[in-house]
Amino acid sequence: MKRNEIIIVALMALLNFTHILDFMIMMPLGNILMPKWSLTTSEFAVIVSSYSLSAFVSSFCAIFFADKFDRKKLLLFAYSGFLLGTFACAFAFGTYSMIVARIVTGIFGGLISAQILSIIADVIPYERRGRAMGMLMGGFALASVIGVPFGLYLANTYDWHYPFLVVAIFGVLLLPFLFKFVPNVNSHLENPIKLKERISNFYDIFSNKAQVTALIFSFSLITGHFIIVPLINPYLVYNVGVPQEYTPLIYLVGGICSLISAQIIGKLADSFGKRIVFVWAALISIVFVVLITNMPHWQLFVVLGIFGFWFSSSTGRTVPGQAMITQAVTSQTRGSFMSLNSCVQSLGTGFASLLSGWITYSDSKFAIHNYNYLGYISVVLILLCVMISYRLERKLQQVEI
């Protein structure tokens, strides 16, 4: 990758770090907030899903105006609102105030992912996009390696408010660098598309087999992953018996493995084919999904090892999977399609969070029951993604990059 491409992707990865961390840190706080606010699993799932479902709404609306603006300006606007919402989460005083704060954060956060992917896709040629996606996924890994462990340390040592404050402050410090180094991305404005045509293009997405397949693939991919994520921390603490003070190690080890594997898998995807790498990673990840959701009282080092492999294999699915999705559309309508893709992913995340709360329940000691059922659903969705990936690759061969 060229020097300017590396700088842009690195800044997008740092932005992605704060964006993902804000979403990720909410779920590990379950074992603190559930007893503090006397929440059931379904009530906690509503708090988690409120961000995703509001992001779904804003992502859907963005489909009709995303390609009307410079991608950089829209990204900075959305990111500023997102940081304000994160500040509000730090001062929530109960269930309803937290839900409102998460909704505000989600409305702006829902605009961010599509713009990041669109900027990467517009700036980075397809032959180097696998590496770019690997670096971008580094933001997710950094959130796991540094963000979540540090956030949980602050929550365990001081109070649960502190992680949100740290995320918001870091984001404010990042804004000047985004202004300076990210170029205006507006080549799509040379031939602007009118609203009537945008609506027509929206309907055309559903008549384009490659794009429909990519969206189904995206929804299945994100739902299959996140259905087991929201209740991982309460499950480890109250079922597996992992001491609460050691839970940051889970995300530290997993994040390190994800950070390393993201770079390796990005290169492998560019060299050997994105579908082949995706399929192998998906099949390997099934083993660890089953182990995690059926975990007895194991030693901490065994738990850490399993989560390390799970993080790596999950990254192995996401990196080539996202690269395949970006190829399903041309540059002219990429913003609208990526907004729809972000919309679909937010819907999948919110649906997965709600489903995890509906299927499971907690007892008087906050132990989680029926968690293994979530693992079986995840396995089915992963296998479905493997089958869809074959069809998606055939459709992508017909798309002009």
Side-chain angles (χ1 to χ4, degrees):
M1 291 176 61
K2 299 178 181 179
R3 181 177 180 275
N4 67 312
E5 293 175 348
I6 293 174
I7 293 174
I8 294 169
V9 176
L11 287 173
M12 293 295 102
L14 288 174
L15 192 157
N16 208 35
F17 164 74
T18 58
H19 181 220
I20 296 297
L21 179 56
D22 174 271
F23 175 72
M24 285 182 63
I25 199 64
M26 187 72 247
M27 291 174 280
L29 292 177
N31 59 306
I32 296 175
L33 294 180
M34 287 175 68
K36 184 179 181 65
W37 290 344
S38 300
L39 302 174
T40 64
T41 55
S42 58
E43 289 170 336
F44 180 68
V46 170
I47 293 177
V48 174
S49 64
S50 59
Y51 175 97
S52 300
L53 296 178
S54 60
F56 160 74
V57 174
S58 64
S59 297
F60 184 81
C61 294
I63 296 168
F64 304 103
F65 68 79
D67 287 320
K68 191 177 180 181
F69 300 97
D70 184 298
R71 303 204 199 284
K72 173 185 176 179
K73 293 179 180 178
L74 183 56
L75 175 64
L76 292 175
F77 167 76
Y79 192 51
S80 299
F82 165 82
L83 293 176
L84 289 174
T86 303
F87 268 118
C89 292
F91 297 99
F93 51 84
T95 305
Y96 295 109
S97 60
M98 178 59 83
I99 290 175
V100 171
R102 296 309 289 165
I103 288 174
V104 172
T105 310
I107 287 173
F108 290 99
L111 302 174
I112 292 176
S113 296
Q115 298 313 307
I116 291 176
L117 290 174
S118 294
I119 289 173
I120 295 296
D122 281 356
V123 173
I124 310 297
Y126 185 71
E127 60 269 16
R128 296 196 294 273
R129 207 172 293 162
R131 291 177 175 84
M133 287 299 173
M135 288 182 64
L136 190 62
M137 280 301 297
F140 173 84
L142 282 174
S144 300
V145 174
I146 300 173
V148 174
F150 182 61
L152 288 179
Y153 169 77
L154 292 175
N156 292 334
T157 306
Y158 300 102
D159 201 351
W160 65 267
H161 303 274
Y162 283 85
F164 294 106
L165 283 174
V166 171
V167 171
I169 292 171
F170 184 87
V172 170
L173 295 176
L174 182 62
L175 275 174
F177 295 94
L178 295 171
F179 273 105
K180 182 176 181 179
F181 292 105
V182 177
N184 291 325
V185 183
N186 51 22
S187 60
H188 59 286
L189 299 178
E190 295 176 0
N191 296 304
I193 302 175
K194 296 180 179 179
L195 178 60
K196 184 176 181 180
E197 191 174 351
R198 291 178 191 279
I199 296 174
S200 176
N201 288 340
F202 172 74
Y203 286 110
D204 287 343
I205 290 175
F206 297 97
S207 62
N208 185 302
K209 293 182 179 180
Q211 295 179 23
V212 170
T213 305
L215 291 173
I216 295 173
F217 177 77
S218 182
F219 179 83
S220 303
L221 184 65
I222 202 75
T223 305
H225 176 71
F226 271 99
I227 195 168
I228 71 170
V229 171
L231 297 174
I232 280 179
N233 227 42
Y235 178 76
L236 289 175
V237 173
Y238 298 114
N239 290 66
V240 182
V242 175
Q244 183 167 310
E245 60 269 24
Y246 291 127
T247 52
L249 288 175
I250 302 293
Y251 298 91
L252 177 62
V253 171
I256 291 173
C257 293
S258 183
L259 182 61
I260 296 172
S261 62
Q263 311 313 311
I264 296 173
I265 290 168
K267 294 178 181 179
L268 290 175
D270 286 341
S271 300
F272 297 100
K274 295 167 180 63
R275 181 189 59 78
I276 293 175
V277 174
F278 170 81
V279 170
W280 277 104
L283 295 177
I284 291 171
S285 70
I286 288 175
V287 176
F288 300 103
V289 168
V290 174
L291 287 174
I292 287 172
T293 54
N294 292 272
M295 192 174 289
H297 281 70
W298 278 335
Q299 294 292 323
L300 180 61
F301 74 91
V302 177
V303 176
L304 291 175
I306 291 173
F307 270 87
F309 282 110
W310 177 66
F311 269 79
S312 297
S313 56
S314 296
T315 301
R317 298 195 311 256
T318 305
V319 169
Q322 289 290 353
M324 291 173 69
I325 290 169
T326 62
Q327 193 191 357
V329 64
T330 59
S331 176
Q332 188 64 24
T333 57
R334 182 170 285 128
S336 294
F337 177 80
M338 287 303 171
S339 292
L340 181 57
N341 180 57
S342 178
C343 175
V344 166
Q345 290 185 334
S346 295
L347 180 62
T349 304
F351 175 71
S353 299
L354 287 176
L355 191 61
S356 67
W358 292 336
I359 293 176
T360 60
Y361 65 94
S362 56
D363 57 27
S364 58
K365 296 182 180 180
F366 297 101
I368 309 298
H369 298 271
N370 293 342
Y371 191 63
N372 58 321
Y373 293 168
L374 303 184
Y376 303 142
I377 296 173
S378 178
V379 169
V380 171
L381 289 172
I382 291 171
L383 291 175
L384 178 63
C385 285
V386 169
M387 292 187 289
I388 296 174
S389 69
Y390 286 90
R391 177 179 174 84
L392 179 59
E393 186 180 53
R394 291 197 300 271
K395 298 300 179 184
L396 292 182
Q397 293 172 354
Q398 304 169 12
V399 177
E400 294 183 6
I401 302 174

